[in-house]
Amino acid sequence: MSFAGKRIWITGASSGIGAALAEAFAAAGARLVLSGRRREALGAVAARVQPDAAVLPFEATDWAALPGVVAQAGAIDMLVNNAGISQRSLAVDTRPEVYRTIVETDLLAPIWLTQLMLPGMAARRSGHIVGISSVAGRLGTVLRTGYCAAKHGLIGYLDALRAEVEQAYGIGVTTVLPGSVRTQVAANALLADGSARGESDPNIEAGMAPSACAQRILAGIAAGEREIIVAEGAEAFAAGLRFSDPERLFDMLAKEGARLAAEREKGGRPEPADIGRTLAD
Ligand SMILES: NC(=O)c1ccc[n+]([C@@H]2O[C@H](COP(=O)([O-])OP(=O)(O)OC[C@H]3O[C@@H](n4cnc5c(N)ncnc54)[C@H](OP(=O)(O)O)[C@@H]3O)[C@@H](O)[C@H]2O)c1
């Protein structure tokens, strides 16, 4: 698939993977619509990668506003559902509102946006839906019960959607499962009380560069891959283990859960460990 001349709408384009995708798609000749909540940050990305890109800020969970936002976006060849928020808290401590925010942002918002695009794409017999899930959407890892629930759900939605629209309407559906990528994801992640963590963590700091992640995503979409795993080392190994030897994976992760619980019992903040032990946003 060529991206030249395609109109591509990227959510979460003000930061991290979304901003890197904007740069990569612009270089490949796409015409961009950039979304996120922060108009200024979106404008800065547009100024850098494609000054005449459309900037369309919106809050992903403002359900009432979404139909108007979709109308403003106009005809779109590819929707990239990338906006998301992570978590760093043990289930035993986490307030219900945290689950609501994460599931609404990471699962219901991409579903609803996709639903609003589908009738037009089906009528035109063309279009492409991309969803940025995570390695944490394949395996359930510590400190991320809400995030894993949402990201697993997104994989389920996209796989089921593909079955319904790929051959029937010629609509492509691509699911992306990144491992750790060096972005603001850990700093923006929610703690047990719903506040932002405010600082990065060792997994993310040791992660892949966003530009490398974006290049891999574009190459995968261009090659027609339906599921793109963008992970290396322990994270790629663990993603494979989820199917090849789940019992071994559950044991590894439960050991890490026991370490975190012991930290909690001592009154400390349960801190993510080194890369490969907590496994992926
Ligand atoms: N980095 C990783 O290691 C990693 C690994 C696997 C998957 N992912 C996934 O990759 C995606 C991008 O994350 P990132 O790593 O680039 O993190 P990031 O730097 O924190 O960027 C998150 C983006 O999502 C947008 N966003 C968050 N909440 C929103 C809301 N309620 N409404 C509208 N936009 C919202 C933010 O825009 P505003 O702040 O302007 O609203 C921002 O552009 C997420 O879905 C994340 O779960 C990341």
Side-chain angles (χ1 to χ4, degrees):
M1 176 200 288
S2 159
F3 303 112
K6 296 262 164 65
R7 200 143 188 276
I8 299 182
W9 186 6
I10 305 169
T11 69
S14 54
S15 174
I17 295 172
L21 284 171
E23 183 164 9
F25 278 125
R31 291 171 301 131
L32 302 178
V33 181
L34 304 175
S35 289
R37 286 165 300 189
R38 292 169 299 143
R39 181 183 289 278
E40 268 187 29
L42 291 169
V45 172
R48 187 163 54 80
V49 309
Q50 189 172 81
D52 64 348
V55 167
L56 186 53
F58 71 99
E59 160 60 59
T61 62
D62 183 355
W63 313 128
L66 289 192
V69 172
V70 167
Q72 265 181 281
I76 294 294
D77 298 301
M78 180 182 292
L79 168 66
V80 183
N81 285 300
N82 166 74
I85 189 154
S86 192
Q87 176 184 8
R88 293 293 185 276
S89 61
L90 293 171
V92 68
D93 298 320
T94 302
R95 294 197 353 206
E97 311 86 76
V98 174
Y99 287 95
R100 182 193 291 275
T101 300
I102 292 172
V103 171
E104 287 194 347
T105 308
D106 294 357
L107 178 59
L108 291 178
I111 289 178
W112 187 221
L113 206 51
T114 301
Q115 293 296 127
L116 290 167
M117 305 297 294
L118 274 180
M121 288 184 173
R124 290 194 301 277
R125 296 283 193 277
S126 75
H128 203 114
I129 303 292
V130 179
I132 310 296
S133 177
S134 171
V135 166
R138 171 168 291 182
L139 53 87
T141 189
V142 293
L143 296 171
R144 294 157 173 81
T145 44
Y147 184 72
C148 287
K151 293 295 189 182
H152 276 67
L154 186 59
I155 292 178
Y157 170 74
L158 293 171
D159 283 355
L161 179 68
R162 183 184 305 108
E164 291 185 11
V165 302
E166 186 187 69
Q167 290 191 14
Y169 296 105
I171 299 171
V173 179
T174 305
T175 313
V176 182
L177 283 66
S180 295
V181 183
R182 236 165 25 245
T183 70
Q184 293 305 304
V185 71
N188 290 334
L190 301 185
L191 300 174
D193 64 357
S195 62
R197 177 177 157 84
E199 56 181 317
S200 197
D201 70 23
N203 285 301
I204 295 305
E205 287 312 298
M208 181 182 284
S211 55
C213 176
Q215 289 303 338
R216 174 71 186 92
I217 293 171
L218 263 70
I221 297 172
E225 289 175 40
R226 291 142 156 166
E227 182 173 273
I228 305 171
I229 299 180
V230 193
E232 297 166 335
E235 293 177 338
F237 175 71
L241 216 51
R242 179 64 183 85
F243 292 143
S244 66
D245 192 354
E247 291 295 331
R248 185 170 162 210
L249 180 66
F250 297 153
D251 282 343
M252 281 166 55
L253 290 166
K255 233 180 242 168
E256 180 58 8
R259 183 189 72 77
L260 289 166
E263 235 178 73
R264 174 181 180 269
E265 300 297 325
K266 282 190 271 166
R269 184 168 89 168
E271 275 298 308
D274 292 344
I275 187 157
R277 294 186 60 192
T278 52
L279 297 169
D281 263 287

